[in-house]
Every structure is written in structure tokens, then in C-alpha cells.
Amino acid sequence: MSMTITPIKISDSEWEVMRVIWTQKATTAQEIIAILGQTMDWKPATIKTLLGRLVKKEAVRTEQAGKKYIYYPAISEGETVKSATENLFSHICAKRIGEAIAELVSEAELTAADVALIQEQLLNKQTVEKIECNCIPGQCECKHHQ
Ligand SMILES: [Zn+2]
């Protein structure tokens, strides 16, 4: 299956719909409504609106099968998570990303296997001497202290 790697910005609500489509791989609006209708307390019209937006954003592709439309993911979950993480880090001063990652690790619920994976990543991580602030002056305090 070919997946586009163009970053597509999806809202929190759209993300819930994407998770169903990623899990089901091929699904109908009815199935998504059955899965999210109760848990999220969303009306069918809301879910259909979200699906329409995802099709428009090309996050989802659709094919007609008789009277029904089948929805397929057009973007991968891994790439979407990666681009959301990159987007989050783009809002933080480059000098504070390490702090933010440490905070994420300290807040997250992790298994021993997760911790082992993170430790392995840290052991292999290439470090740099110094990180330059990449902020717009006035959006960050570190420029004043340099
Ligand atoms: Zn900065």
C-alpha cells in the first residue's frame, strides 16, 4: 500500500476518526458511527462531517461499492504521529526540546520494555556541542541571555 508522506494537519476529532480507519483498514461511515457514536457521544452528522473533511484533506480515500462508500486510510498512522510530534517541537525553542522530551518521559506511563527502548535510543544518540536558539526575537527569552 502506498502512503503519502506529505504532512497533513488533522484536528483532535478527525484524529479519533482516523484511528478507527487505521484500525479497520477499510470501513464504512456506518461502522465508524457504530464505533464512535457511543464512546464519543457524537451524532452521525458530526462523524460524516469529519469524514468529509478527511477526504478533502486527502487523509482518507473513498470508493463506492454499490450503495455504500468504503473509506481507506491515505496516510499512515506512523507518519501522522511523527508529523504531529515535529509540529509540537516546531512550537518550542530548539534549546528547550531536551527539557520537553524529559518532561514527556516523566509524565508518560511506560512499561519496562518502553523504558528499555528509550534507553537504547539514548545510548545511540549523537549529541551536539551547542544548540542555537531558532526563535523569533520577542517569542523567546533565551535571546536576551546569549
Ligand atoms: Zn529560543
Side-chain angles (χ1 to χ4, degrees):
M1 204 181 300
S2 82
M3 297 279 186
T4 162
I5 44 165
T6 321
I8 295 171
K9 283 191 182 177
I10 58 174
S11 71
D12 290 347
S13 307
E14 289 163 1
W15 201 299
E16 296 300 326
V17 174
M18 283 311 299
R19 289 187 65 187
V20 175
I21 301 172
W22 282 322
T23 305
Q24 307 302 317
K25 292 173 182 79
T27 187
T28 60
Q30 287 70 25
E31 197 175 6
I32 300 168
I33 289 164
I35 292 169
L36 292 178
Q38 290 185 329
T39 53
M40 305 299 289
D41 199 25
W42 287 344
K43 294 193 168 56
T46 308
I47 294 170
K48 283 180 179 169
T49 301
L50 293 169
L51 261 176
R53 283 190 203 147
L54 288 166
V55 170
K56 210 168 183 181
K57 289 180 182 181
E58 296 180 339
V60 166
R61 60 183 186 84
T62 181
E63 265 172 34
Q64 200 169 356
K67 283 184 178 178
K68 283 184 175 177
Y69 283 95
I70 313 289
Y71 294 90
Y72 302 92
I75 53 173
S76 76
E77 186 168 18
E79 282 299 336
T80 308
V81 170
K82 195 170 171 245
S83 91
T85 311
E86 282 165 4
N87 184 46
L88 167 69
F89 288 157
S90 77
H91 295 302
I92 305 171
C93 171
K95 297 177 80 162
R96 294 185 57 199
I97 286 174
E99 242 173 70
I101 293 169
E103 181 73 25
L104 281 176
V105 169
S106 108
E107 291 294 317
E109 250 183 75
L110 301 168
T111 63
D114 294 328
V115 170
L117 179 67
I118 296 165
Q119 280 172 332
E120 194 192 316
Q121 293 288 344
L122 288 176
L123 283 175
N124 297 322
K125 186 66 187 171
Q126 301 278 340
T127 60
V128 294
E129 285 279 308
K130 191 173 183 285
I131 296 168
E132 297 297 333
C133 169
N134 60 343
C135 304
I136 294 167
Q139 277 196 329
C140 167
E141 287 191 354
C142 51
K143 286 253 157 98
H144 304 292
H145 303 298
Q146 273 176 343

